[in-house]
Amino acid sequence: MNIEAVIFDMDGVITDTEKYYNRTWPVAFAALGYTDFTREDALAQRSLNHEDAQKLWGSRYGKDFSFEEVHKYNTKLVLKLMEEEGIQAKPGINELLSFLRENHIRAAVATATKLERALPRLATVGLENAFDTVISASMVKKGKPHPDVYLHACKELGVEPSHCIALEDSPNGIRSAHSAGCITVMVPDLTMPTPEDEKLIYGWAKDLSAVIPIIQEIESAPL
């Protein structure tokens, strides 16, 4: 198997920023009167597109619930936290990117974050020029867990999904990459893979540098 590209999720995979969302979502929900929203609920929200989030939380909170209103308030909270506490890259990113360059494997980002926020976030950790393309879910019809963002990234790269490794940290991202036909590898951030996740992933890596031997294993496996 020839791996032609690696497609990265951003928050929780490239940047250590998913932790901020996990803190702010309960605060944002509570500020608008939904006080029973927990950090466990915030884990289910990771990478979830707006339409599906509206359905998910609307089924709990009723017809007057507006996810857009909660999301708008949460964005203010999370951006403030990032400004106050900073943004760091996840361990192993530079080692993995160097390996990809040396082996002529293309690199892309497929993120649920809007492009106008994703690009500055990558620049903050010095990775503004590290990827062949950056694809936001706002650029496609349906965001994660639907396959659109990964299919679009593969199209931009000019490679088949079956020759791409997707790196994800959340169940919604895993479902998105797997349904697109990518070889999906979990790089755990806030949670380890569940039994359901394990059915959809090739394997998991303790950090991004540990993705390197997984690539080598896939490429050396007999057809």
Side-chain angles (χ1 to χ4, degrees):
M1 169 69 73
N2 181 32
I3 298 301
E4 299 179 21
V6 173
I7 306 175
F8 297 70
D9 176 47
M10 186 180 70
D11 294 291
V13 174
I14 298 173
T15 57
D16 190 15
T17 44
E18 193 67 65
K19 62 186 181 184
Y20 294 141
Y21 289 95
N22 192 249
R23 289 163 58 184
T24 59
W25 278 120
V27 177
F29 273 79
L32 295 170
Y34 310 109
T35 56
D36 64 337
F37 189 94
T38 66
R39 283 200 175 185
E40 287 300 313
D41 291 325
L43 293 176
Q45 176 58 38
R46 287 175 295 173
S47 291
L48 188 63
N49 73 84
H50 288 210
E51 182 179 351
D52 287 349
Q54 176 65 40
K55 292 177 182 176
L56 176 62
W57 307 120
S59 67
R60 177 192 290 185
Y61 296 121
K63 63 181 178 62
D64 294 329
F65 173 77
S66 170
F67 178 72
E68 291 302 327
E69 189 176 359
V70 177
H71 181 269
K72 184 177 180 181
Y73 187 68
N74 186 72
T75 296
K76 292 180 181 179
L77 294 176
V78 79
L79 291 178
K80 185 172 186 291
L81 261 185
M82 289 179 186
E83 183 178 352
E84 291 173 349
E85 299 187 20
I87 297 174
Q88 288 80 39
K90 294 287 284 185
I93 183 64
N94 291 322
E95 292 90 336
L96 177 53
L97 288 172
S98 294
F99 173 83
L100 298 181
R101 285 192 296 270
E102 290 167 4
N103 289 274
H104 309 290
I105 299 172
R106 305 186 75 189
V109 176
T111 178
T113 300
K114 289 185 177 181
L115 196 63
E116 60 265 30
R117 297 192 188 104
L119 295 178
R121 204 166 296 175
L122 292 171
T124 298
V125 294
L127 298 174
E128 64 269 31
N129 299 313
F131 301 95
D132 293 284
T133 189
V134 178
I135 304 299
S136 165
S138 61
M139 299 163 65
V140 298
K141 185 175 181 180
K142 290 186 176 182
K144 301 175 186 180
H146 303 281
D148 303 35
V149 67
Y150 276 100
L151 292 173
H152 188 58
C154 290
K155 184 178 179 181
E156 285 287 306
L157 293 170
V159 298
E160 291 296 320
S162 60
H163 289 265
C164 292
I165 289 178
L167 303 180
E168 278 286 353
D169 67 302
S170 72
N172 287 318
I174 288 168
R175 289 196 291 271
S176 174
H178 179 266
S179 60
C182 297
I183 301 166
T184 308
V185 173
M186 186 175 186
V187 186
D189 179 40
L190 301 180
T191 56
M192 294 296 292
T194 65
E196 288 302 309
D197 296 332
E198 289 175 348
K199 296 175 183 176
L200 305 179
I201 61 176
Y202 177 87
W204 66 275
K206 64 181 177 61
D207 61 27
L208 290 169
S209 66
V211 174
I212 296 172
I214 293 177
I215 296 172
Q216 293 169 327
E217 175 184 285
I218 293 171
E219 292 199 316
S220 63
L223 295 176

